[in-house]
Amino acid sequence: MSADILSFIIFLPAVVAFGLMITTRHVETVRNIAFLATTVILALVLKIYIDFEPSAGMQFVTNVPWISSYGINYYIGVDGFSLTILMMIAILIPTAYLLLWDGRTKGYWINMLLVQTGVTGALLSLDVILFYFFWEIMLLPVFLMIGIYGFGDKVFTTIKVTVYTMVGSLLMFVAILYLGVSYFNEFGSWSFQYDSLTQITTLSYNEKIWLFLAFLSAFAIKIPIFPLHTWIMETYKNAPTGAVFLLSSIMAKLGVYAIVRFMIPIFPDIYVEFSTWFVFIGLFGLIYFGIAALMQDDLKRMFAYSSASHLSFIAAGIFSLNEFGINGALYLIIAHAIATGALFLLVGIIHDETGYKTIKDLGGLAKQSPIFTTVFAIMLLANIGLPGTNGFVSELLIIFGVYEFNHTLGYISALTVIIGASYMLWMFQRAILVKREAGEDLKFRDLKIKEIIGLTPWIILIFLMGLYPDIFINKFEPTVTHYLNDILQIGATK
Amino acid sequence: MSQFIHILPVLTVLVAAVALMFMSMYQNKFSVKTYITVSSIILVATLAFVFVPFGETFSVKPYSSIFNNVLIFDTFSNFFYVLLIGGTLFTLLIGEHYFQHRSYFTGEFFSILLFSLFGMLLLANANELITAYVALEIASFSVYIMVGYNSEDSRRVEAIFKYLVLGSFMGAFYLLGVVLVYGATQTTNLSEIATFIANNNISDMPLLYIGLTLILFIFLFKISAFPFQQWVLDVYRGAPMIITAFMASTFKIAIFSFFLRAMLQDIKPMIGFWDSIIYVVIVLTLVFGTWLAITQKIIKRMLAASSIVHTGYLLLAFIAIGKNIDAAYAIVFYLIAYLLSALGSFGLVSHIISETKVRVTYDDFKGLAHERPFLAAMMTVFMFSLAGIPSTIGFMGKLYVFTETINAGYAGLAVLAILATIVSVYYYFKLIAMMYFYPTNEKCMSNDFNDKRISTYAIAFLAILTVIGGIGSAIVFFIPALNIDTLIDLTQISIQSLLIK
């Protein structure tokens, strides 16, 4: 039974979603059932988190044939990396439900459930075809959400975001098949399991670089890493709050996760060889997106750039080739998901209530809504890495990592954190604190009790992770150490 | 008796076609519904006959004293029987709505449809070049007639004329090819040609090479590969919608049945010679097909143009046969995947326009999801499948085809095909966007549209198959019978029956 618990977690939302699709119940019933399903998942994930042994191997593994003529298996399992992100997703989604609670339609909730299946499935897949399967599946509900519930030129936006991400995914698809064929030619049987693909030795240097880039294109577009980011601006601006939340705080993280899960073990030597470039690109993105965020007037766009900026930082950490960097990147994945997720949802509330989302139209919200302002401030400070919050720990670790990797780049990374602080605080001052310039004060409500309950676990996590990082890092550190020892050795010997 | 069971399906279809022809003499006595019912029952019965020896490996040439070995019955042909009869049956069921709302569909139409099925079944059995030609022409002529059936549309004249003239022209090429082959080998029997190739030095047979290459042209023409894709858009446009569905799916499969047999069983060395020709053909087919598809505004033409792209994918696996036989399974699987999705999508459009006639362009499809959510959902499934999105059978088809292509060493072609797929996401998803993201297009609404029809259920069944074909094994824990592996096993058994000597 313990082995099937992961399958249950993956497919429960989809099954519930299909059930809800054919009912004619009222939207509130639909939402309540969907919410219930996510809390059941949260409970199960908590159980897994407690049962999980902090060691390097895969746990809760299920491995059954799916398409046996091509050696494709339904192969899922969880290790230190995926466990942390699984936990994050399980906590984030129900809270998001609480913040999105009112005024949504049936389809909105059904799509949210379907995304959860796709995301969790992609996270837990250890067979690359299965991973690809879920990777594509998670895009479709978001496509529908943006198209149906979005704003502005939503149809163009949906087509753009879909084609954009498909370009990456399909290139990755060819690379996956190429790897499968190489494995077949070398070992005489088909397999697409990530641990079999790591054993391929026949690939030439050039082939590896092409395959590496094909994989990277899929993940870099999703994250997004500079210069593959052009889709996010319109998307974050025109998409409904739920979709922005899912894209920025969950799916983008899966791009980072996938780099660690598949690319590093399969191409360790290329990873080592090109790491300098990617750290550099990561830091460039950090600065570029940071400056772009400074100049935004639209709140959602500003957070889009800020999110991209932090994700570039994560990418720099991943490629810094040491334990500090990778631990920090994983930690920042969580920290950023919480802070950015919450900020997008809070901006969603501002937009729903006032009808505005540009900084110059807003102002003076603090007076009318002290709780809202406090929560907003906490998320903001966590996002810019104030000591005591989880953002601080993660940024510090990454800066250590980059410093160890290359001193000069380390200094740059430490200095650029200032940019983040400046645009965030400047925005906070203009949009929330000072009096509104144009016209009368805006009517704005404070957070409801439901929303406060939803946000509480996040706030607790922010400080818990900030003050006692050990309890969390202990869970995934053995995996990271194992990874680095093995991979750096292989990378060095190849 | 045991030999008789093999020819029973073909015979049934032939007798039924003739019987329907006589029935149609009494125009007023029977309604269109009666014809549909009768033909469907006959097809179901035929399917039952086919299933008697289904799944076993066999290869027989029955009544060789009468047929002189021109016909061969094996698991391979049996497998294609199921697809061809199934395709025709679904064409009838999906078209039920369409046929009843178009006055020009009368009794003899169904007779012609069965005649074309008869030709296609015979083609799957052909073991000789002239027999194949006769079978192909029986099927083709029936299709020519059906293309011109829409007496309310002035474009039909252009469509039928173009198709008929070009088709006959290609037929002449074929015959010329046969003559050259006969000149070189003194036989037109495929098995004997195979023996001849095996016993002679490859470089000593220029006539055979030219002859077979001429024969290849008709294959490329019928499956609408470059440079023979010109006719597709106009012919598909002028033909009644449901016939377009039939041509794009079932008829294409029939063509493949003969050429796969010839290729795998008999003239395999040729594929090495054709390699570079087909390579260029694939590249141009993909490029032209994609370009045509993105420039279309009319849904029917978009689907027609995208069928050219799918031809490109199929040829991808076809070229790979030269390197490894596994590619043949990929072709058969892709054919099944395409049969389901193409029949579904064309059929669905024909179902929607059967009463109104206005849902023609992308714009006309605006807001369909609000008006008819289930039809829109099914259309979405078919679009996903055609675009190769995971969880549909189209994804599986692409997975197999691309894997085998890469395995055969054509990674460059696979990348090109992926690029074509990326573009296809654009034109398929545009339709989904139209259906879901816009308010309903007022002038295209029809209030008295009855959704509870046989057509709707037939399309729904196809949609379910499309999804199950994609994730069947993922739910293998619950329903063991629905396994993609079973389907692959069947394709493998059928292909392997070709290699029985």
Side-chain angles (χ1 to χ4, degrees), chain A residues 66-70 133 174, chain B residues 389 391 400 404 418 473 485 488:
Chain A
W66 176 24
I67 306 165
S68 39
S69 48
Y70 280 88
F133 183 86
V174 182
Chain B
I389 303 293
S391 85
Y400 296 154
E404 293 307 338
I418 284 289
S473 302
D485 279 327
I488 297 171

Side-chain angles (χ1 to χ4, degrees), chain A residues 64 66-70 72 129 132-133 136 140 143 147-148 155 159 166-167 170 174 177-178 181 185 190, chain B residues 384 389-391 395-396 399-400 402-404 406-407 411 418 422 426 429 437-438 471 473-474 477 485 488:
Chain A
V64 287
W66 176 24
I67 306 165
S68 39
S69 48
Y70 280 88
I72 299 168
I129 297 281
Y132 179 77
F133 183 86
E136 293 291 274
L140 301 177
F143 169 80
I148 300 174
V155 177
I159 302 268
M166 285 271 174
V167 171
L170 284 166
V174 182
L177 297 181
Y178 198 95
V181 170
N185 288 336
W190 291 99
Chain B
F384 281 173
I389 303 293
S391 85
F395 168 68
M396 292 296 159
L399 174 71
Y400 296 154
F402 292 156
T403 311
E404 293 307 338
I406 294 173
N407 200 9
I418 284 289
I422 292 168
Y426 168 75
F429 274 57
F437 306 156
Y438 286 98
I471 55 167
S473 302
F477 318 114
D485 279 327
I488 297 171

Side-chain angles (χ1 to χ4, degrees), chain A residues 18 34 60 82 99 138 148 158 195 218 241 303 314 323 334 437 444 447 451 467 476 487:
Chain A
F18 285 115
F60 301 96
S82 37
L99 268 79
M138 74 184 181
I148 300 174
T158 35
D195 39 6
T241 313
F303 283 125
I314 294 176
E323 211 167 308
I334 314 292
E437 280 176 29
F444 190 68
L447 289 181
E451 291 158 350
L467 298 171
F476 62 76
I487 287 153

Side-chain angles (χ1 to χ4, degrees), chain B residues 146-165:
Chain B
M146 291 194 287
V147 165
Y149 235 82
N150 187 353
S151 55
E152 294 166 12
D153 190 346
S154 56
R155 288 194 198 84
R156 75 190 169 115
V157 181
E158 187 194 348
I160 188 171
F161 196 68
K162 211 171 217 177
Y163 195 28
L164 180 67
V165 170

Side-chain angles (χ1 to χ4, degrees), chain A residues 50-240:
Chain A
I50 294 163
D51 290 352
F52 184 85
E53 305 281 334
S55 66
M58 285 292 164
Q59 294 170 39
F60 301 96
V61 173
T62 304
N63 193 352
V64 287
W66 176 24
I67 306 165
S68 39
S69 48
Y70 280 88
I72 299 168
N73 286 2
Y74 177 77
Y75 180 27
I76 53 171
V78 68
D79 70 351
F81 286 133
S82 37
L83 179 75
T84 321
I85 298 173
L86 180 67
M87 190 68 201
M88 170 197 98
I89 294 171
I91 299 177
L92 282 179
I93 289 184
T95 18
Y97 276 62
L98 285 173
L99 268 79
L100 294 167
W101 198 255
D102 291 315
R104 317 280 158 191
T105 61
K106 221 174 116 179
Y108 202 95
W109 301 111
I110 291 172
N111 279 322
M112 291 277 285
L113 283 174
L114 290 175
V115 173
Q116 193 171 5
T117 287
V119 170
T120 325
L123 179 71
L124 299 175
S125 304
L126 300 175
D127 186 292
V128 274
I129 297 281
L130 188 68
F131 168 78
Y132 179 77
F133 183 86
F134 283 116
W135 181 259
E136 293 291 274
I137 292 285
M138 74 184 181
L139 181 69
L140 301 177
V142 172
F143 169 80
L144 289 177
M145 280 177 92
I146 302 174
I148 300 174
Y149 310 109
F151 321 98
D153 193 358
K154 57 190 183 180
V155 177
F156 174 73
T157 311
T158 35
I159 302 268
K160 184 171 176 184
V161 65
T162 311
V163 172
Y164 229 104
T165 42
M166 285 271 174
V167 171
S169 321
L170 284 166
L171 289 177
M172 170 172 79
F173 186 52
V174 182
I176 290 174
L177 297 181
Y178 198 95
L179 280 174
V181 170
S182 308
Y183 183 85
F184 175 74
N185 288 336
E186 189 173 347
F187 297 96
S189 64
W190 291 99
S191 174
F192 286 93
Q193 301 181 11
Y194 87 105
D195 39 6
S196 339
L197 295 183
T198 55
Q199 294 161 9
I200 299 170
T201 54
T202 47
L203 290 175
S204 73
Y205 180 75
N206 277 335
E207 280 174 313
K208 274 191 206 164
I209 289 183
W210 282 111
L211 294 175
F212 186 84
L213 290 177
F215 268 91
L216 190 68
S217 65
F219 305 142
I221 288 174
K222 205 84 162 197
I223 290 177
I225 293 173
F226 182 87
L228 302 171
H229 63 278
T230 54
W231 61 274
I232 63 162
M233 300 316 143
E234 278 145 347
T235 308
Y236 284 19
K237 186 165 163 258
N238 295 338

Side-chain angles (χ1 to χ4, degrees), chain B residues 278-313:
Chain B
I278 298 182
Y279 196 100
V280 176
V281 167
I282 291 172
V283 172
L284 294 172
T285 305
L286 286 174
V287 171
F288 270 80
T290 303
W291 185 77
L292 277 177
I294 44 172
T295 50
Q296 299 308 320
K297 290 199 172 59
I298 294 168
I299 296 296
K300 197 183 182 187
R301 283 175 74 103
M302 182 274 282
L303 288 173
S306 82
S307 84
I308 300 174
V309 182
H310 287 279
T311 298
Y313 299 142

Side-chain angles (χ1 to χ4, degrees), chain B residues 90 94 98 236 241-242 244-246 248-249 299-307 310 337-353 359-360 365 368 375-387 427-428 431-432 435 455 458-463 466:
Chain B
F90 271 105
I94 292 173
Y98 192 82
Y236 280 19
M241 194 69 205
I242 198 75
T244 319
F246 183 71
S249 55
I299 296 296
K300 197 183 182 187
R301 283 175 74 103
M302 182 274 282
L303 288 173
S306 82
S307 84
H310 287 279
Y338 187 65
L339 172 76
L340 292 177
S341 343
L343 207 50
S345 51
F346 278 108
L348 190 58
V349 176
S350 81
H351 178 52
I352 293 171
I353 63 170
R359 294 224 191 247
V360 179
F365 274 78
L368 186 74
L375 289 184
M378 290 189 275
M379 194 66 180
T380 311
V381 168
F382 295 129
M383 288 298 120
F384 281 173
S385 181
L386 288 174
Y427 51 81
Y428 290 131
L431 181 61
I432 302 175
M435 293 192 299
S455 313
I459 296 167
F461 186 67
L462 284 181
T466 308

